Structure formats: C-alpha cells, structure tokens
Amino acid sequence: MMALWPLLHLTFLGFSITWPLVHGQGFQETAAVWPSLFNVSLPQKAQESIQIPNNGSVPLLVDVQVFVSNVFNVDILRYTMSSMLLLKLSWLDTRLAWNTSAHPRHAVTLPWDSLWTPRLTILEALWVDWRDQSPQVRVDQDGHVKLNLALTTETNCNFELLHFPRDHSNCSLSFYALSNTAMELEFQTHAVNEIVSVKREYVVYDLKTQVPPQQLVPCFQVKMSLKNTALKSIIALLVPAEALLLADVCGGLLPLRAIERIGYKVTLLLGYLVFHSSLVQALPSSSSCNPLLIYYFTILLLLLFLSTMETVLLAGLLARSSLGAKSSPSPAPRGEQQEHGNPGPHPEESPRGVKGSQRSWPETADRIFFLVYVVGVLCSQFIFAGIWMWAACKSGPAPGEAAPHGRRPRP
C-alpha cells in the first residue's frame, strides 16, 4: 500500500503534478518532486513499485489474453506474414492495494512506466509497431493490475509448402520476457480468434496458445494454423500447364508428313519454357520439403521436350527416306519398258502398292510412340495424384528448437 501512495497522491492532486510523470523518460525523473510533497521515504517506496512483485518461492502469475484481429501479407517467397494482435495482461500486485475508506477511489489509471509491467519481445519478429507508445495501466483497489497492448508485427514463419497450393502451415509468435527469469514470472494464456474476414488467400482456421516447459526465460507462444484457399494458384499454374500438355497430346494426331506439326510442337515447347521460367519465380524454394509442383512441372517439361524431339527426329528420317526413294531408280519401270505387251499393272495389285507406299517405317514408329506417349501421360497424372495424397514431409527442427531447454537468451 505504501508503494502506491506516491502514485495515488499524484493522481488525486491533479494533472499539474502528474504531467511530469506522463511525459518524463522514467520514474526516477519524477521522484525528485515527491520529497517536498510527502516525506523522504516515499521515493524509495515508489521505486520499489517498478520492481517485479516478490511472491516468495512462487513466481508471479500473469494472465494473458491474446486477441488476433487480422492476418495479412502472407508471403511464401520470403517466409513472412503480418498480423494484428491485442494483448490483455493482468496480474496481482498487493503492494499497490489501498484502503477505500481512506482513499475512496476504486481504481486509478497510471502511465505504464510508473510501475512494473512485463517487457515483452517477439522472437520471430522482423519489426513490431506498438500502436500506443504510452499505454495506460489500470490499478484496482485490491492490487489487480490490467494492461492492454495493441500491436502490428511482421514475423517469420516456416511454411510447410510440400502440398502447395493446398498447403497447411503452423506459424508461431513467441513472446519472451527477457528482463525476468522463470523463477520470477509465469504466464497463463488464452487465445481468441477475432478475424471476421475470409476474403483472402490464406485463412486462419485454428488458434492456440501454449507455455513451453523448461524455459530459462518466461515466455508464451501463439500458434496460428493457416490454410491456403488455392484458387488463385490453381487458375494461374495448374490450368495452363494441363492445357499445354493436352495440346501437345492432340498435336500427335497430326500426320508426320505435315510440315505444320514441327512448328506446332516447337511453339508449344517454347511457350512452356516461358511459362516454366515465370513459374520458378512464383514458387518458393526451401532447403527441405520443396513443393511437389516443382517436380510435376519439371516432368511436364521433359514430356514436352521428348515429344518435340520425337517429332523432329522421325520427320527428319521420313524426309531422308523420301529423298532417297526419289533419287534412286526403280526397277519396275525397266521391266515395263521391256514388256511391250503388258499395258500396265494389274488393277487389283495397284491399290495394294499405293497403300504400302503411304505408310513408311518412320510413320509406323510415330504411331507407336503416340500410343505409348498417351499412356505415359495418363500414368504420370495418376502417379502424381497418388503421391500428392500420400506423400508427407516434415522439416527438421531448427538449431534453437533442438536445444534441450529451448532457446537460451543472449547474455
């Protein structure tokens, strides 16, 4: 109670005295005003109020309610995400309790730096924007302290992108109180999902909090489970790739003698190469558990390359055999010149001769390759679907997580 008296006197005497407390840099700057108002021992008592309450062998229990209002800017290429949170902290400090019969107020509002409050640090944060730089603390008559902190932060997240674009990932925000030890402070956490908008690529479908055991520094974690809606990626990636593969299969129906077939195949291959180069930039890369789509699109590129090379090779062999047939003399006309009595070939033998000349061995090989290619394409689709459903990959623990007692604070 004595520790709160200087704060209560400043509150009751009006803003003319509390103004240095609000705008000062620390509690020590305003303590110099109090001796003339009260007595010499009050600054020492007030100084004790900014120290963590001593509960003996039991650590101070701080109740934390985490309200997540928004998750945005999920960037799988940089492995980052942004989120907006509200932390409601409350704890009991019996030193700040007072008798309402002597002081009729039931609660007072004080600057946060005028008494002890947890100093929180987010381990995964790239930057943190505390919305209120000078938050107010509410102190009840029984010593209960309440503090609300609103923040926006961008943090790292180890996305599990094996099944991208139907991926599910768990992202953690670890809040550490580096100024205290686990023997002094303990957190009790609760989480509330207040996200009302679902019109986004990634949605939060689960929200949990936990207090990691055996930590040297008091901390608590907020775990958010993210799910990719995948509509944008399916339209932008899968549909064009499947359309190019289907067009390549249909191109095999063109006759090998048609000169348009080579141009058609080469155009498809060049178009897919351009698509594949932009695809590599759109898909994330990782040291482990790369997306299956990277391997799938690479297999499609190999199939298109194989189909184009088959067309070029067999068309070249067919052109060489045709040129060789035209340049070499045929023995049939010499025999016809010697047999003057034979007016020409037999009518029944002519169609068979024409039919045999229409199908050469490169064209036969092309038909066989087309059937094998169609079967291979269909099998590759079914095999990839099976791998997509049954494949699993879990990234190994980070070096800090593999430590026996979690992350150790730096000295």
Side-chain angles (χ1 to χ4, degrees):
M1 178 176 177
M2 290 296 297
L4 186 61
W5 278 3
L7 305 181
L8 293 177
H9 280 297
L10 291 176
T11 305
F12 296 151
L13 289 177
F15 291 99
S16 60
I17 299 179
T18 59
W19 187 263
L21 182 64
V22 175
H23 292 276
Q25 297 297 325
F27 196 83
Q28 293 87 345
E29 297 182 6
T30 59
V33 184
W34 297 342
S36 61
L37 297 175
F38 308 109
N39 55 63
V40 179
S41 63
L42 286 182
Q44 182 179 0
K45 296 293 184 180
Q47 184 70 19
E48 295 178 358
S49 65
I50 63 175
Q51 303 297 325
I52 184 172
N54 186 8
N55 289 356
S57 60
V58 180
L60 176 65
L61 183 62
V62 176
D63 184 80
V64 183
Q65 294 183 357
V66 183
F67 297 85
V68 181
S69 58
N70 194 8
V71 174
F72 58 100
N73 289 344
V74 178
D75 192 344
I76 60 175
L77 297 180
R78 297 176 56 237
Y79 286 87
T80 59
M81 71 170 189
S82 301
S83 54
M84 300 177 64
L85 301 92
L86 173 64
L87 305 180
K88 291 187 176 182
L89 296 85
S90 61
W91 63 93
L92 178 62
D93 191 349
T94 56
R95 302 171 303 175
L96 305 180
W98 71 89
N99 190 355
T100 55
S101 59
H103 304 282
R105 291 200 176 189
H106 296 280
V108 294
T109 302
L110 302 171
W112 70 281
D113 55 354
S114 62
L115 69 161
W116 178 87
T117 56
R119 301 299 194 262
L120 298 177
T121 301
I122 303 178
L123 181 64
E124 298 86 358
L126 301 178
W127 54 264
V128 180
D129 180 19
W130 300 96
R131 308 301 295 272
D132 190 356
Q133 299 296 330
S134 299
Q136 300 295 309
V137 181
R138 178 183 174 88
V139 182
D140 296 335
Q141 61 180 6
D142 56 355
H144 279 91
V145 184
K146 298 178 181 178
L147 173 63
N148 296 334
L149 299 174
L151 62 122
T152 302
T153 179
E154 184 181 27
T155 56
N156 286 321
C157 180
N158 295 325
F159 296 109
E160 296 293 343
L161 300 174
L162 180 69
H163 294 92
F164 177 85
R166 299 294 298 177
D167 53 291
H168 296 71
S169 301
N170 295 320
C171 300
S172 299
L173 278 72
S174 304
F175 292 83
Y176 281 79
L178 300 178
S179 301
N180 304 103
T181 64
M183 301 299 296
E184 297 175 337
L185 181 61
E186 182 181 350
F187 291 108
Q188 181 180 357
T189 58
H190 312 277
V192 179
N193 190 348
E194 290 189 336
I195 301 176
V196 296
S197 176
V198 295
K199 295 182 178 180
R200 58 195 65 211
E201 186 176 1
Y202 279 86
V203 296
V204 180
Y205 67 92
D206 192 17
L207 181 65
K208 297 179 181 179
T209 59
Q210 69 172 8
V211 178
Q214 299 181 352
Q215 293 289 323
L216 298 178
V217 175
C219 70
F220 64 92
Q221 290 181 338
V222 180
K223 292 185 175 293
M224 291 180 285
S225 299
L226 303 180
K227 179 175 63 175
N228 194 347
T229 56
L231 180 60
K232 175 182 177 181
S233 300
I234 290 176
I235 296 177
L237 301 178
L238 292 179
V239 173
E242 294 295 332
L244 285 174
L245 183 61
L246 181 60
D248 182 68
V249 172
C250 294
L253 298 175
L254 294 175
L256 188 61
R257 294 179 181 273
I259 58 175
E260 295 84 1
R261 178 173 170 176
I262 296 180
Y264 180 83
K265 291 279 189 175
V266 172
T267 303
L268 285 180
L269 180 60
L270 293 178
Y272 188 81
L273 286 175
V274 175
F275 172 75
H276 192 270
S277 62
S278 61
L279 179 68
V280 171
Q281 299 178 0
L283 289 178
S285 60
S286 174
S287 59
S288 62
C289 301
N290 284 294
L292 291 175
L293 284 185
I294 294 180
Y295 307 101
Y296 176 72
F297 289 130
T298 304
I299 293 175
L300 291 188
L301 177 62
L302 294 177
L303 289 175
L304 289 176
F305 178 78
L306 181 63
S307 176
T308 304
M309 291 299 99
E310 180 270 341
T311 299
V312 173
L313 290 176
L314 292 184
L317 293 176
L318 180 62
R320 284 179 174 273
S321 62
S322 299
L323 291 177
K326 292 181 179 179
S327 60
S328 62
S330 176
R334 297 178 182 177
E336 292 177 357
Q337 290 178 0
Q338 295 176 358
E339 298 179 359
H340 299 281
N342 188 3
H346 196 273
E348 296 180 357
E349 296 177 358
S350 178
R352 286 184 292 181
V354 174
K355 183 178 179 180
S357 62
Q358 289 179 351
R359 179 70 60 88
S360 61
W361 73 266
E363 293 175 319
T364 304
D366 179 66
R367 293 297 94 187
I368 296 176
F369 176 84
F370 174 76
L371 297 177
V372 175
Y373 183 72
V374 171
V375 173
V377 168
L378 293 177
C379 291
S380 65
Q381 303 299 307
F382 286 109
I383 292 174
F384 180 78
I387 295 176
W388 181 275
M389 295 177 60
W390 299 104
C393 180
K394 190 69 175 179
S395 300
E401 296 178 357
H405 301 287
R407 183 179 176 88
R408 296 177 179 270
R410 294 181 179 179

